[in-house]
Amino acid sequence: MKFEKIEFDSIYFDIYELADGIYATIFNQDLGFSSNAGFFDLGNLSIIFDTLMDPWATKDLIRANKAITKKEPSLLVNSHYHLDHVFGNRLFSKSIPILSGPGTLDQFDKGLRQAFNQLKNTAPSQLKNTEELLQKEKNPKKIIEYKNDILTYTEVQDLNFTLRPPDLLLYDKMIINGSTRSVEIINVGNAHAYDDLVAYFPEEKACFMGDLLFSKLDPDWANGINGMPWSTNPEHLKDVMNFYLEKDLDVYIPGHGTLCSKKEVNNIVAFLDKHFIKN
């Protein structure tokens, strides 16, 4: 797969144009295995799919959307509730609605609250470690990264810091018809998390999968990640993967890692069969 890389100044991600008006932001693997996102120019509307764990990366995402689409976002979509996909919600204007599945909203006071409290509790030690790394660092890009991390670890300790939950809930499917192209936002149910959403472009043969799809897999994930199950419903996740394997798609955008083809989707199915599903 070869897609055009769009020139944009960010230390956090690269932008790829998958088709006219459809852009994937793929996180810089040198900074770790962090989350991806995307944004769509529908002509008269601009939509952002997921935020990023690092708030400065999310600010770059908002800036990229405006620079490339020449529009403010009309809607933000949260694919699922995990912190690395919703942490940047608070950086969007209140005038921009946030769409998710009902399971995502439900988890704002459950699993997401627990994950945020864990981040807040570890922030003082992370702050100290980052300050020490900054003093030794010579790479200009790493210096920017560490300075931004210091601001973030400081901010999350503020008593007034809050996470922004979604405003709109999608129980099934909606088609957003723009003046030049359309996108299907689909609630596939409990699969990786709860009420996972995908953004499907049947004409452009692309699908943004959130964390239903990873470009690389680790057998240790069979035991969960950070105390959470890797899949809330492995059998249904397999059904979802097989469903989208049958679609005429050129590219699948994972929640983490590089752009994917049917090969990586098949890898998910095999991973589920090996570690989760008893035949």
Side-chain angles (χ1 to χ4, degrees):
M1 292 184 300
K2 290 187 177 179
F3 296 97
E4 182 182 359
K5 184 178 175 180
I6 304 298
E7 290 298 323
F8 182 77
D9 182 23
S10 174
I11 67 170
Y12 294 103
F13 54 73
D14 293 321
I15 302 175
Y16 293 91
E17 185 174 19
L18 308 180
D20 287 346
I22 304 173
Y23 303 91
T25 60
I26 303 300
F27 202 84
N28 182 353
Q29 302 297 292
D30 292 338
L31 300 181
F33 201 58
S34 194
S35 57
N36 299 326
F39 56 95
F40 321 135
D41 183 354
L42 304 187
N44 58 327
L45 302 170
S46 171
I47 297 172
I48 294 181
F49 186 85
D50 275 338
T51 71
L52 302 165
M53 180 65 192
D54 191 294
W56 299 89
T58 297
K59 289 180 180 180
D60 279 358
L61 174 64
I62 296 170
R63 182 167 59 88
N65 174 80
K66 185 172 183 179
I68 294 172
T69 72
K70 310 302 180 186
K71 304 174 186 69
E72 298 290 345
S74 306
L75 178 71
L76 168 63
V77 177
N78 288 156
S79 65
H80 64 294
Y81 78 91
H82 290 160
L83 195 60
D84 53 337
H85 294 264
V86 304
F87 192 65
N89 284 8
R90 62 195 173 81
L91 299 176
F92 286 76
S93 166
K94 293 291 186 180
S95 64
I96 300 169
I98 301 175
L99 175 72
S100 79
T104 295
L105 178 61
D106 184 56
Q107 288 298 318
F108 261 74
D109 288 323
K110 295 180 180 176
L112 181 60
R113 176 58 54 186
Q114 180 181 351
F116 175 69
N117 287 339
Q118 182 178 1
L119 171 64
K120 191 172 182 177
N121 291 336
T122 60
S125 61
Q126 294 285 1
L127 178 60
K128 181 180 178 181
N129 291 339
T130 306
E131 289 173 337
E132 292 173 354
L133 290 171
L134 178 61
Q135 291 177 1
K136 304 173 185 177
E137 188 57 58
K138 302 298 182 183
N139 185 322
K141 290 186 176 180
K142 292 297 289 184
I143 289 172
I144 294 172
E145 178 193 351
Y146 290 149
K147 286 183 175 179
N148 288 347
D149 287 347
I150 287 170
L151 291 171
T152 299
Y153 290 133
T154 301
E155 185 181 15
V156 297
Q157 297 179 72
D158 190 312
L159 294 177
N160 295 319
F161 185 97
T162 57
L163 299 170
R164 182 184 168 191
D167 310 291
L168 307 174
L169 301 181
L170 179 64
Y171 287 81
D172 188 10
K173 169 182 172 180
M174 68 186 298
I175 300 175
I176 303 175
N177 289 313
S179 59
T180 57
R181 61 190 53 85
S182 301
V183 60
E184 298 180 14
I185 309 296
I186 304 166
N187 183 336
V188 302
N190 298 350
H192 169 70
Y194 302 99
D195 288 319
D196 295 286
L197 301 189
V198 304
Y200 174 47
F201 293 88
E203 295 296 323
E204 294 80 5
K205 300 183 180 182
C207 191
F208 288 73
M209 305 292 290
D211 281 3
L212 298 170
L213 179 62
F214 291 72
S215 66
K216 296 180 180 180
L217 296 164
D218 186 334
D220 288 343
W221 293 348
N223 300 316
I225 302 176
N226 296 325
M228 295 185 294
W230 182 74
S231 170
T232 59
N233 189 327
E235 290 82 3
H236 183 59
L237 177 54
K238 179 181 175 180
D239 289 342
V240 171
M241 291 293 99
N242 283 325
F243 179 80
Y244 283 96
L245 273 171
E246 295 177 0
K247 299 292 185 183
D248 183 17
L249 290 168
D250 292 333
V251 60
Y252 300 79
I253 301 83
H256 297 261
T258 55
L259 296 172
C260 296
S261 65
K262 291 186 184 295
K263 174 184 176 181
E264 288 78 15
V265 182
N266 274 308
N267 288 344
I268 294 286
V269 173
F271 185 81
L272 288 164
D273 279 336
K274 181 175 182 179
H275 296 287
F276 292 92
I277 298 172
K278 297 180 179 178
N279 295 318

